[in-house]
């Protein structure tokens, strides 16, 4: 049953008009899987989908606006958490520039005040994703706020790397960075541990509106749920085919797995190496394009990162996320709708 929607506090603006990066709303909660279609998903994906990864508040502030206040509710970290004081931090961006971060004392419901630089403009607030924040109200101090212009939606499906693991801040993940570079509204559909070719997710993607799509998965098909190259080849074809039922002509970029040194030449439980799985994924994309999908693009993940970019042998650091973002932006730039400018993602 969907979660009931909370009313904005009296005198506050309804935040729904200001939210970006949203896939679905479950009542007032931004979620990343269809609330009416959760029973077909593995439990780990349904759990990750409850976190509002990549969801932002974007607004235009008048020149006299001194600050914006966000009233929200969120989970409260354990007192024993050594980083508890940083769990409710909000980052304010103006275009491609980080203006500053404001941390509120963790509470189940609170208000955070973010000072704005003089002159007004279009701003983006990145939320403390890991605490499942739900914005309840928005208001300006000393001026006016209006929703930021709507930008082309970019649907990004992937695993923990897409979700942004080991980036130091939500805004440093490669989807968020690519969004800023291209002026897109990235909708982050990355699921840590997931993105193993789950076909119900392809059907959900088909139902979501979007002007661009990226599929970046495969590394969890090596170990977490082992697959063969033949299985992954067939699954990529099926996944793309289901997405195409809702997006027959949408530019769709397939990004194969980035470097994972331990897995490149080491067989998994079914005898497949990550190099073999990557090759199967890329072959499926090339075959689909050769068979007539003129809007299908391929970016090989292997050349993008070196071992120096990997924090734990798998997940990239901020430099690695920025490197992926630059490559994805270069691949997508010719397909970004005309008139789109770099913006506050």
């Amino acid at each position: 049953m969907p979660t009931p929607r909370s009313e904005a506090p009296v005198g506050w603006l309804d935040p729904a008009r200001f939210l970006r990066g949203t896939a679905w709303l479950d009542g007032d909660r931004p979620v990343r899987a269809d609330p009416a279609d959760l029973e077909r998903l593995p439990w780990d994906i349904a759990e990750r989908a409850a976190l509002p990864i990549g969801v932002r508040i974007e607004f235009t502030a008048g020149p006299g606006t001194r600050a914006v206040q966000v009233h929200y509710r969120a989970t409260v970290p354990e007192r024993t958490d050594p980083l508890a004081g940083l769990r409710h931090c909000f980052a304010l961006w103006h275009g491609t520039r980080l203006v500053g971060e404001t941390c509120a004392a963790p509470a189940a419901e609170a208000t955070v005040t973010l000072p704005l630089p003089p002159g007004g403009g279009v701003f983006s607030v990145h939320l403390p994703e890991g605490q499942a924040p739900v914005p309840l109200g928005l208001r300006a101090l000393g001026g006016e706020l209006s929703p930021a212009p709507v930008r082309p939606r970019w649907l990004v499906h992937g695993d923990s790397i897409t979700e942004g693991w080991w980036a130091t801040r939500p805004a440093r993940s490669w989807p968020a960075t690519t969004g800023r570079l291209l002026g897109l509204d990235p909708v982050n559909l990355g699921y840590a541990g997931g993105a193993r070719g789950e076909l119900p997710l392809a059907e959900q993607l088909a139902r979501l509106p979007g002007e661009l799509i990226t599929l970046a998965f495969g590394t969890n098909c090596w170990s977490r749920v082992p697959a063969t190259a033949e299985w992954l080849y067939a699954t990529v074809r099926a996944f793309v085919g289901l997405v195409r039922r809702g997006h027959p002509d949408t530019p769709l970029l397939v990004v194969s797995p980035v470097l994972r040194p331990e897995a490149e030449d080491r067989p998994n439980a079914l005898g497949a190496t990550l190099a073999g799985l990557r090759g199967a994924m890329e072959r499926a994309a090339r075959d689909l394009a050769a068979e007539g999908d003129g809007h299908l693009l391929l970016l090989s993940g292997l050349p993008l990162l070196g071992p120096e970019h990997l924090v734990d042998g798998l997940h990239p650091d901020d430099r690695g996320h920025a490197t992926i973002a630059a490559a994805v932006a270069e691949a997508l730039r010719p397909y970004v709708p005309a008139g789109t400018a770099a913006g506050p993602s």
Side-chain angles (χ1 to χ4, degrees):
M1 180 180 297
T3 304
R5 179 172 175 79
S6 300
E7 295 293 331
V10 175
W12 294 69
L13 299 171
D14 184 348
R17 297 183 301 128
F18 296 82
L19 291 181
R20 301 292 185 267
T22 54
W24 292 270
L25 288 175
D26 182 9
D28 57 5
R29 293 191 309 126
V31 294
R32 299 182 302 121
D34 187 346
D37 191 24
L38 291 180
E39 63 183 19
R40 294 196 299 152
L41 300 180
W43 71 268
D44 56 345
I45 290 178
E47 184 177 78
R48 297 305 300 180
L51 294 178
I53 305 296
V55 174
R56 311 167 308 282
I57 296 171
E58 294 188 353
F59 58 90
T60 299
T65 308
R66 301 190 310 274
V68 61
Q69 290 188 316
V70 180
H71 189 68
Y72 68 97
R73 70 169 185 266
T75 60
V76 178
E78 298 290 336
R79 292 184 179 179
T80 55
D81 183 347
L83 299 178
L86 301 177
R87 297 302 188 194
H88 283 208
C89 287
F90 295 74
L92 180 72
W93 286 72
H94 185 202
T96 58
R97 181 173 65 91
L98 173 64
V99 176
E101 291 183 298
T102 302
C103 297
E109 187 167 330
T111 298
V112 62
T113 301
L114 293 92
L116 301 180
V122 180
F123 297 89
S124 178
V125 177
H126 285 260
L127 310 173
E129 302 168 338
Q131 302 306 122
V134 177
L136 301 175
L138 202 66
R139 69 182 179 187
L141 296 182
E144 296 183 349
L145 301 178
S146 60
V150 174
R151 298 181 179 271
R153 274 166 57 96
W154 172 40
L155 311 178
V156 194
H157 170 70
D159 48 36
S160 57
I161 298 173
T162 299
E163 204 180 64
W165 278 39
W166 285 106
T168 55
R169 299 290 190 275
R172 302 292 185 188
S173 72
W174 70 260
T177 302
T178 303
R180 285 193 296 274
L181 292 174
L182 296 181
L184 301 174
D185 175 14
V187 178
N188 191 316
L189 302 173
Y191 311 101
R196 304 173 295 251
E198 298 86 356
L199 296 183
L201 290 175
E203 293 182 305
Q204 293 190 16
L205 270 168
R207 297 194 294 268
L208 278 176
E211 284 73 45
L212 295 165
I213 300 172
T214 294
L215 308 178
F217 64 92
T219 196
N220 285 329
C221 297
W222 178 70
S223 60
R224 188 170 176 88
V225 178
T228 64
E230 294 78 11
W231 180 91
L232 187 56
Y233 174 86
T235 297
V236 170
R237 291 181 62 96
F239 199 101
V240 172
L242 288 172
V243 172
R244 282 292 186 225
R245 296 181 68 179
H247 297 277
D249 301 315
T250 303
L252 189 157
L253 174 67
V254 173
V255 182
S256 63
V258 298
L259 175 70
R260 185 174 178 178
E262 67 161 343
E264 293 299 329
D265 301 312
R266 180 180 168 191
N268 65 10
L270 296 177
T273 64
L274 184 60
L277 293 172
R278 182 185 296 110
M281 189 172 187
E282 294 177 0
R283 188 170 69 254
R286 286 193 296 267
D287 287 352
L288 286 168
E291 292 164 14
D293 191 336
H295 302 280
L296 186 66
L297 316 167
L298 173 63
L299 176 63
S300 178
L302 181 60
L304 301 183
L305 302 181
E308 69 277 10
H309 294 112
L310 305 177
V311 177
D312 57 359
L314 171 60
H315 299 98
D317 57 13
D318 283 353
R319 284 191 310 139
H321 276 280
T323 300
I324 297 172
V328 171
E330 182 178 355
L332 289 179
R333 187 169 281 111
Y335 305 92
V336 174
T340 302
S345 298

